[in-house]
Amino acid sequence: MSKPRKAVALISGGLDSLLAAKLMLEQGIHVEGINFYTGFCVEGHTHAIRKKDKAKPKRNNALWSAEQLGIKLHILDIIEEYKDVVINPKHGYGANMNPCLDCKIFMISKAKQWMEENGFDFIITGEVVGQRPMSQRKDLLPVVVRESGIDDLLLRPLCAKNLAPTLPEREGWVDREKLLDFSGRNRKPQMALAKQFGFDDYATPAGGCCFLTDESYSKKLVDLWQARNKKEYELDDIMLLKVGRHIRPAPHYKLIVSREDGENKFLNGYRKQFSTIEIKSHNGPLTLVDGELSDDDFKQAARIAARFSQGRDADSVNVLITPLDGEAYSLDIAPMPASEIKQEWYV
Amino acid sequence: MSEYTLDARNSLCPMPVIKTQNKVNELEAGDILTVTCTDPGALNDIPAWCRINGHEVVETCEHGSEVIIRIRVGDA
Ligand code: SF4
């Protein structure tokens, strides 16, 4: 008997990639998963930061999928290389700052590289034609194939019957007849198939797979670039965009005000990188300050931070200001009234 | 068999898992790796990663805000 062919499955943690991999396993293909970590992924950490989510046990859905399937999962850190995709997407952005088409091309080319380095035969994804705007339009699939260089080694088991046969089908490594013809946005066929395979409790992310499809997140990213006058970021920057209230009272500085205990703890880890404002006389949030501030700026920033403390209605609140490169000092200030905090300051 | 340690503190999931994976890939079957993390999510994710990839979690414990996970590298 010939040895089984090996497929590398792009595992996102969602239902579609789970089903696509399962279909291959059913055909006796050896499957291993890869999952990309871009820094923008919704998976994992942010859920751990905010306390309100703590009741639910945290799980990484890609790992969960792999465990359901009984396959290995390799998580690839692509944070550095992915920057170019976000900063200079050749095909532009979607509705928000999501460079979906460039992202797909990039991920397929990385998967191809992994496939070659590890002696695998082809790639599978859970994509369904027409399911999401932009990245899964039928006329764009050839663009992904062409620009990633994957040629006909990319198989999409959930909609393969609607597409031209790929090499794994033509060579008989997989039986095309057993592949599917899902199309469009209707999720019912996927749900029925999940039931048939006995998968329940699978993840159903409301948005896309990453924060770049989120409108408010995208605004914060654009704001960051505008303030710096440069399109660039580090991992810490994009993590911080997920946390706290972001308030920019003036073009040259921004406050990140924690909203609850979990965020306080998280922001605490950034004390060495930012100036901070702490409320001393009352319970209140930790505030990180990004930018170079004058004494007057710090005063205004402290008044805003105090607005979010339990001393918001007090005449005076005591705060500790610790400038990034200076001595900490204490200040008594009057919290800024809500009416003075301009709506447009909220990023 | 050798003992190794990995400091994955102050990184958020899935980074502790990725760091563990990359370290384990350099080790031999039977080696012991002790990973220290501060993201409590690692308590779920690292054991899940080990189960999937054929490694054994020997022990997990929490020390204040730190999570410590000891792994025996499998031969898969
Ligand atoms: S939603 Fe995010 S991860 Fe998914 S294809 Fe678009 S840019 Fe890439």
Side-chain angles (χ1 to χ4, degrees):
Chain A
M1 207 179 108
S2 61
K3 69 175 177 26
R5 290 288 169 174
K6 292 163 96 176
V8 45
L10 268 65
I11 299 289
S12 66
L15 178 58
D16 293 358
S17 59
L18 176 69
L19 293 174
K22 181 69 179 173
L23 287 174
M24 289 297 97
L25 290 169
E26 293 279 296
Q27 292 211 23
I29 303 289
H30 173 92
V31 180
E32 292 187 22
I34 54 174
N35 172 257
F36 294 109
Y37 182 57
T38 63
F40 294 100
C41 307
V42 175
E43 266 312 306
H45 43 71
T46 21
H47 304 291
I49 299 169
R50 295 208 67 185
K51 211 171 57 194
K52 71 172 164 65
D53 297 318
K54 280 240 166 91
K56 261 199 276 163
K58 302 295 158 302
R59 76 175 189 204
N60 174 305
N61 284 309
L63 288 169
W64 179 84
S65 295
E67 197 162 15
Q68 298 299 304
L69 293 161
I71 64 171
K72 287 191 177 184
L73 181 75
H74 311 273
I75 308 179
L76 308 188
D77 163 3
I78 54 166
I79 297 165
E80 278 306 313
E81 292 164 90
Y82 194 71
K83 286 179 181 171
D84 191 48
V85 177
V86 180
I87 294 171
N88 302 307
K90 190 171 145 199
H91 299 281
Y93 299 103
N96 293 297
M97 292 304 285
N98 48 314
C100 289
L101 187 52
D102 289 83
C103 174
K104 284 267 152 64
I105 294 166
F106 177 74
M107 287 188 182
I108 297 295
S109 42
K110 288 305 287 182
K112 173 175 181 266
Q113 187 188 341
W114 192 94
M115 172 188 92
E116 288 163 354
E117 286 168 4
N118 291 277
F120 279 61
D121 300 300
F122 61 104
I123 297 177
I124 59 164
T125 71
E127 288 165 293
V128 171
V129 177
Q131 186 157 276
R132 292 188 200 273
M134 180 152 160
S135 63
Q136 297 188 6
R137 264 171 38 202
K138 194 167 181 172
D139 55 329
L140 293 178
L141 295 183
V143 180
V144 175
V145 168
R146 192 174 61 239
E147 295 194 17
S148 65
I150 188 62
D151 205 3
D152 56 0
L153 291 175
L154 171 59
L155 178 66
R156 300 167 172 103
L158 298 184
C159 64
K161 278 188 173 162
N162 300 331
L163 304 169
T166 58
L167 188 79
E169 295 158 271
R170 294 199 309 274
E171 291 290 318
W173 303 343
V174 301
D175 180 354
R176 181 172 166 92
E177 281 314 301
K178 292 187 187 149
L179 302 176
L180 303 177
D181 59 357
F182 291 175
S183 74
R185 287 166 175 251
N186 181 7
R187 303 283 302 156
K188 290 216 178 91
Q190 276 93 325
M191 283 149 77
L193 188 60
K195 197 165 174 202
Q196 188 187 320
F197 285 136
F199 295 134
D200 49 22
D201 199 24
Y202 45 82
T204 45
C209 22
C210 83
F211 270 100
L212 293 168
T213 57
D214 182 88
E215 189 182 346
S216 107
Y217 186 89
S218 294
K219 274 192 194 144
K220 291 185 188 127
L221 182 62
V222 171
D223 168 78
L224 182 88
W225 286 344
Q226 273 169 355
R228 293 190 180 166
N229 229 336
K230 224 183 208 168
K231 274 176 116 183
E232 59 173 28
Y233 64 82
E234 295 302 327
L235 181 61
D236 280 338
D237 295 324
I238 60 175
M239 298 305 270
L240 282 168
L241 296 184
K242 302 172 185 174
V243 183
R245 290 184 181 85
H246 289 237
I247 302 171
R248 187 177 291 286
H252 62 288
Y253 78 91
K254 180 176 84 168
L255 310 181
I256 307 175
V257 187
S258 96
R259 288 172 294 193
E260 44 77 70
D261 203 38
E263 291 192 343
N264 244 6
K265 281 207 188 87
F266 179 74
L267 294 183
N268 224 344
Y270 287 91
R271 277 174 179 280
K272 291 205 180 91
Q273 287 153 262
F274 292 88
S275 303
T276 58
I277 299 172
E278 289 160 86
I279 314 294
K280 288 296 180 189
S281 55
H282 297 79
N283 277 335
L286 172 65
T287 299
L288 301 185
V289 191
D290 185 17
E292 283 184 25
L293 284 77
S294 67
D295 288 349
D296 279 348
D297 291 333
F298 269 122
K299 209 165 169 185
Q300 185 189 37
R303 294 187 62 216
I304 296 169
R307 176 74 225 157
F308 296 100
S309 77
Q310 286 182 1
R312 64 179 67 87
D313 298 319
D315 293 335
S316 172
V317 167
N318 179 257
V319 301
L320 183 71
I321 296 176
T322 311
L324 185 56
D325 300 313
E327 286 290 308
Y329 59 98
S330 140
L331 205 62
D332 292 313
I333 43 90
M336 190 175 279
S339 57
E340 280 180 38
I341 300 185
K342 298 198 182 107
Q343 207 46 47
E344 62 264 29
W345 290 355
Y346 284 94
V347 183
Chain B
M1 188 207 95
S2 314
E3 290 260 355
Y4 297 86
T5 57
L6 175 67
D7 182 355
R9 286 175 299 178
N10 298 322
S11 65
L12 294 175
C13 283
M15 285 314 291
V17 186
I18 296 176
K19 288 179 181 173
T20 302
Q21 162 193 275
N22 295 352
K23 183 74 189 172
V24 164
N25 285 346
E26 294 168 9
L27 304 182
E28 307 274 333
D31 285 349
I32 299 283
L33 177 66
T34 303
V35 189
T36 309
C37 315
T38 42
D39 183 343
L43 262 185
N44 290 310
D45 292 356
I46 293 180
W49 179 84
C50 288
R51 287 195 300 275
I52 293 164
N53 292 287
H55 311 292
E56 181 193 349
V57 175
V58 186
E59 192 187 358
T60 61
C61 61
E62 289 180 71
H63 266 299
S65 59
E66 294 186 355
V67 171
I68 297 159
I69 302 168
R70 274 167 68 80
I71 299 165
R72 181 179 294 115
V73 178
D75 50 13

